[in-house]
Structure formats: structure tokens, C-alpha cells
Amino acid sequence: QVQLVESGGGLVQAGGSLRLSCVPSRSIFSINVMGWYRQAPGNQRELVATIGSGGITNYRDSVKGRFTISRSNAESTVYLQMDSLKFEDTAVYYCNARIGWIEYWGQGTQVTVSS
């Protein structure tokens, strides 16, 4: 089992920035892929960004150039830096960890962007 603790959500004006953090309950070295997903009301959960253990990243097209995912092995933390936020980025953001074929989810953190 892996617990994921997220933090950093909140309310921000359009054009502003937020940084989300996710701390897993076990060593980040043991996790193959970590990522962030989001779900807006009435919508399905969607991938935002992922980062593999080797540092390879993947982003959905709508956040490329605005969001940056990173992982700190020393702090055993994954970050999502969100810049130039837009109203349509408003959602609950979930941290995800994948070990082999098993996935774990955080409880979610609300990000609200006011227009």
C-alpha cells in the first residue's frame, strides 16, 4: 500500500501560479511512474502530467508550456508547478503513483482559477 498526501491547492486569479506537492508514504525510488490527474465537475478524470523514475515527462497538450512536473528524490516529493493558470484549469487535482500494474491515488486537492 502507498498513501499519497497532496498539498498546494487553492484559489488563484487567471494568469497566476500554484505549486502542488505530493508525498508518497514509501520511497519514491520504488515508484515507477508518478503523475497528476484532474477532474472538473461533470467531466471524467484526465491526465495532466506524468514523470517516470528516469525523469521522462509527459503532458496533456493543453498544459504544455505552462505546467512543469518534477520529482525530488532527496525530498521524496513530486511537484506540479502551474503557471499562467486559466479558468479551465479549475478542477480537483489528484496525485497518482504506479508500481508495476497497481495504481494508487491521493485524496485530491482543489484548484480554483477565477476569471
mmCIF file of all heavy atoms in Angstrom, residues 18 32 34 37 40 52 75 78 84 88-89 96 101 108:
data_model
loop_
_atom_site.group_PDB
_atom_site.id
_atom_site.type_symbol
_atom_site.label_atom_id
_atom_site.label_comp_id
_atom_site.label_asym_id
_atom_site.label_seq_id
_atom_site.Cartn_x
_atom_site.Cartn_y
_atom_site.Cartn_z
ATOM 1 N N LEU A 18 0.399 28.310 -9.099
ATOM 2 C CA LEU A 18 0.296 27.478 -7.910
ATOM 3 C C LEU A 18 1.287 26.328 -8.067
ATOM 4 O O LEU A 18 1.607 25.930 -9.193
ATOM 5 C CB LEU A 18 -1.117 26.891 -7.749
ATOM 6 C CG LEU A 18 -2.238 27.776 -7.222
ATOM 7 C CD1 LEU A 18 -3.559 27.025 -7.288
ATOM 8 C CD2 LEU A 18 -1.953 28.239 -5.797
ATOM 9 N N ASN A 32 7.376 3.494 -10.030
ATOM 10 C CA ASN A 32 7.774 3.561 -11.432
ATOM 11 C C ASN A 32 7.407 4.903 -12.075
ATOM 12 O O ASN A 32 8.236 5.554 -12.704
ATOM 13 C CB ASN A 32 7.118 2.428 -12.231
ATOM 14 C CG ASN A 32 7.463 1.070 -11.677
ATOM 15 O OD1 ASN A 32 6.601 0.315 -11.251
ATOM 16 N ND2 ASN A 32 8.738 0.746 -11.649
ATOM 17 N N MET A 34 4.978 8.548 -11.455
ATOM 18 C CA MET A 34 4.083 9.380 -10.656
ATOM 19 C C MET A 34 3.481 10.435 -11.558
ATOM 20 O O MET A 34 4.095 10.844 -12.559
ATOM 21 C CB MET A 34 4.831 10.016 -9.488
ATOM 22 C CG MET A 34 5.275 9.001 -8.458
ATOM 23 S SD MET A 34 5.712 9.723 -6.864
ATOM 24 C CE MET A 34 4.095 10.250 -6.264
ATOM 25 N N TYR A 37 -3.453 13.985 -12.132
ATOM 26 C CA TYR A 37 -4.675 13.945 -12.920
ATOM 27 C C TYR A 37 -5.612 15.006 -12.361
ATOM 28 O O TYR A 37 -5.409 15.500 -11.246
ATOM 29 C CB TYR A 37 -5.338 12.563 -12.824
ATOM 30 C CG TYR A 37 -4.586 11.467 -13.537
ATOM 31 C CD1 TYR A 37 -3.353 11.023 -13.065
ATOM 32 C CD2 TYR A 37 -5.098 10.860 -14.680
ATOM 33 C CE1 TYR A 37 -2.661 10.006 -13.712
ATOM 34 C CE2 TYR A 37 -4.423 9.851 -15.337
ATOM 35 C CZ TYR A 37 -3.201 9.430 -14.842
ATOM 36 O OH TYR A 37 -2.519 8.433 -15.489
ATOM 37 N N ALA A 40 -12.804 17.918 -13.328
ATOM 38 C CA ALA A 40 -13.705 19.053 -13.165
ATOM 39 C C ALA A 40 -15.132 18.516 -13.038
ATOM 40 O O ALA A 40 -15.428 17.405 -13.506
ATOM 41 C CB ALA A 40 -13.591 19.989 -14.360
ATOM 42 N N GLY A 52 8.410 9.641 -15.078
ATOM 43 C CA GLY A 52 8.915 8.319 -14.770
ATOM 44 C C GLY A 52 10.112 8.364 -13.850
ATOM 45 O O GLY A 52 10.658 9.426 -13.554
ATOM 46 N N GLU A 75 13.851 14.820 -1.429
ATOM 47 C CA GLU A 75 12.681 15.144 -0.611
ATOM 48 C C GLU A 75 11.574 14.112 -0.766
ATOM 49 O O GLU A 75 10.557 14.198 -0.088
ATOM 50 C CB GLU A 75 12.151 16.528 -1.003
ATOM 51 C CG GLU A 75 13.140 17.647 -0.769
ATOM 52 C CD GLU A 75 12.651 18.977 -1.327
ATOM 53 O OE1 GLU A 75 11.656 18.983 -2.088
ATOM 54 O OE2 GLU A 75 13.269 20.006 -1.006
ATOM 55 N N VAL A 78 6.902 14.778 -5.383
ATOM 56 C CA VAL A 78 6.634 15.152 -6.758
ATOM 57 C C VAL A 78 5.894 16.482 -6.759
ATOM 58 O O VAL A 78 4.977 16.683 -5.951
ATOM 59 C CB VAL A 78 5.809 14.077 -7.481
ATOM 60 C CG1 VAL A 78 5.347 14.561 -8.851
ATOM 61 C CG2 VAL A 78 6.635 12.815 -7.660
ATOM 62 N N SER A 84 0.617 30.561 -15.485
ATOM 63 C CA SER A 84 -0.341 31.072 -16.475
ATOM 64 C C SER A 84 -1.665 30.310 -16.396
ATOM 65 O O SER A 84 -2.221 29.872 -17.412
ATOM 66 C CB SER A 84 0.236 30.969 -17.890
ATOM 67 O OG SER A 84 1.448 31.675 -17.992
ATOM 68 N N GLU A 88 -10.198 27.328 -17.147
ATOM 69 C CA GLU A 88 -10.489 25.933 -17.485
ATOM 70 C C GLU A 88 -9.565 24.938 -16.786
ATOM 71 O O GLU A 88 -9.725 23.737 -16.924
ATOM 72 C CB GLU A 88 -10.442 25.711 -19.002
ATOM 73 C CG GLU A 88 -9.208 26.238 -19.681
ATOM 74 C CD GLU A 88 -9.417 27.642 -20.238
ATOM 75 O OE1 GLU A 88 -10.087 28.471 -19.598
ATOM 76 O OE2 GLU A 88 -8.876 27.914 -21.342
ATOM 77 N N ASP A 89 -8.574 25.443 -16.039
ATOM 78 C CA ASP A 89 -7.726 24.555 -15.229
ATOM 79 C C ASP A 89 -8.391 24.226 -13.893
ATOM 80 O O ASP A 89 -7.881 23.404 -13.129
ATOM 81 C CB ASP A 89 -6.364 25.198 -14.962
ATOM 82 C CG ASP A 89 -5.543 25.376 -16.226
ATOM 83 O OD1 ASP A 89 -5.526 24.459 -17.065
ATOM 84 O OD2 ASP A 89 -4.903 26.450 -16.365
ATOM 85 N N ASN A 96 -1.079 10.572 -8.454
ATOM 86 C CA ASN A 96 -1.166 9.161 -8.830
ATOM 87 C C ASN A 96 0.223 8.535 -8.782
ATOM 88 O O ASN A 96 1.200 9.165 -9.191
ATOM 89 C CB ASN A 96 -1.753 9.049 -10.236
ATOM 90 C CG ASN A 96 -1.705 7.640 -10.799
ATOM 91 O OD1 ASN A 96 -0.701 7.216 -11.374
ATOM 92 N ND2 ASN A 96 -2.788 6.917 -10.648
ATOM 93 N N TRP A 101 1.692 -2.914 -12.040
ATOM 94 C CA TRP A 101 0.349 -2.714 -12.587
ATOM 95 C C TRP A 101 -0.631 -2.164 -11.563
ATOM 96 O O TRP A 101 -1.812 -2.063 -11.833
ATOM 97 C CB TRP A 101 -0.181 -4.032 -13.163
ATOM 98 C CG TRP A 101 -0.145 -5.163 -12.183
ATOM 99 C CD1 TRP A 101 0.886 -6.012 -11.960
ATOM 100 C CD2 TRP A 101 -1.186 -5.568 -11.291
ATOM 101 N NE1 TRP A 101 0.559 -6.914 -10.983
ATOM 102 C CE2 TRP A 101 -0.692 -6.685 -10.561
ATOM 103 C CE3 TRP A 101 -2.487 -5.106 -11.036
ATOM 104 C CZ2 TRP A 101 -1.460 -7.326 -9.607
ATOM 105 C CZ3 TRP A 101 -3.261 -5.755 -10.097
ATOM 106 C CH2 TRP A 101 -2.742 -6.857 -9.377
ATOM 107 N N GLY A 108 -6.945 14.144 -3.336
ATOM 108 C CA GLY A 108 -7.300 15.264 -4.206
ATOM 109 C C GLY A 108 -7.154 16.603 -3.513
ATOM 110 O O GLY A 108 -7.341 16.718 -2.302
#
